[in-house]
Amino acid sequence: MPKGRRTKKAEVRRKREFTLRGRTLEELLALPLPELGKLLPARARRSIKRGFTDEQRSFLEKILVQPKDQALKTHVRDALVLPQHVGHRVAVHTGKEFKEVEIRPEMIGHYYGEFALTRRFEKHSGPGVGATRSSKFMPLK
């Protein structure tokens, strides 16, 4: 073996375990709601402190009894993602259609509406035939 050359060892990369402010998912599942609220950002903390609306409470109850392989359709975009929802599939209404979202641990503390965008980017093409007087000199191809 030539001098100065090192053999590279195959490094096994292990997927990092999810933590939220130093707590694992199992620890988050064991926390009561007010204690979980202390770990979340201000907007989510305020939502928990003030209590959920009737629609949010109904949705939160339905998602716990829903099988994880079936998507639960909902219009409640302002519901918080809680640790108990991880692994579930939720179809969130965008105003036109339902966007299916699989809940991952990184989504805890966010709102369902953040994952189903209501506006989509519309890419405009060039001017069409008859758009302006000058466009009649544009090649059609």
Side-chain angles (χ1 to χ4, degrees):
M1 188 158 135
K3 193 174 183 176
R5 231 181 209 199
R6 295 184 193 164
T7 58
K8 254 191 175 173
K9 294 180 182 177
E11 190 175 312
V12 178
R13 295 194 79 186
R14 197 169 59 102
K15 189 174 182 188
R16 287 183 47 197
E17 187 176 356
F18 169 77
T19 58
L20 178 74
R21 309 244 170 136
R23 309 274 176 104
T24 63
L25 183 60
E26 290 77 26
E27 293 170 341
L28 292 174
L29 287 167
L31 286 177
L33 202 54
E35 290 297 316
L36 175 68
K38 293 178 182 176
L39 299 175
L40 298 178
R43 171 57 29 204
R45 191 167 52 242
R46 181 174 163 84
S47 294
I48 290 173
K49 182 180 171 189
R50 292 176 64 97
F52 298 123
T53 64
D54 293 336
E55 293 90 13
Q56 291 171 344
R57 196 173 298 110
S58 170
F59 168 72
L60 296 176
E61 290 168 0
K62 284 180 187 175
I63 196 169
L64 295 178
V65 297
Q66 181 81 8
K68 287 192 175 188
D69 60 335
Q70 292 180 358
L72 175 65
K73 287 187 174 185
T74 183
H75 285 259
V76 184
R77 298 173 54 82
D78 60 344
L80 269 174
V81 177
L82 299 175
Q84 293 82 5
H85 303 172
V86 173
H88 285 272
R89 289 176 25 196
V90 179
V92 184
H93 198 256
T94 63
K96 180 181 177 183
E97 60 191 5
F98 288 94
K99 293 275 182 167
E100 196 168 303
V101 179
E102 185 166 350
I103 307 304
R104 296 189 307 271
E106 296 82 23
M107 298 177 177
I108 295 173
H110 290 268
Y111 290 90
Y112 281 99
E114 295 180 48
F115 306 110
L117 301 178
T118 58
R119 298 175 181 99
R120 80 188 151 128
F121 177 70
E122 189 65 47
K123 187 175 178 183
H124 297 285
S125 62
V129 177
T132 61
R133 306 258 315 142
S134 63
S135 67
K136 67 182 175 184
F137 300 109
M138 297 277 294
L140 291 175
K141 194 166 183 183

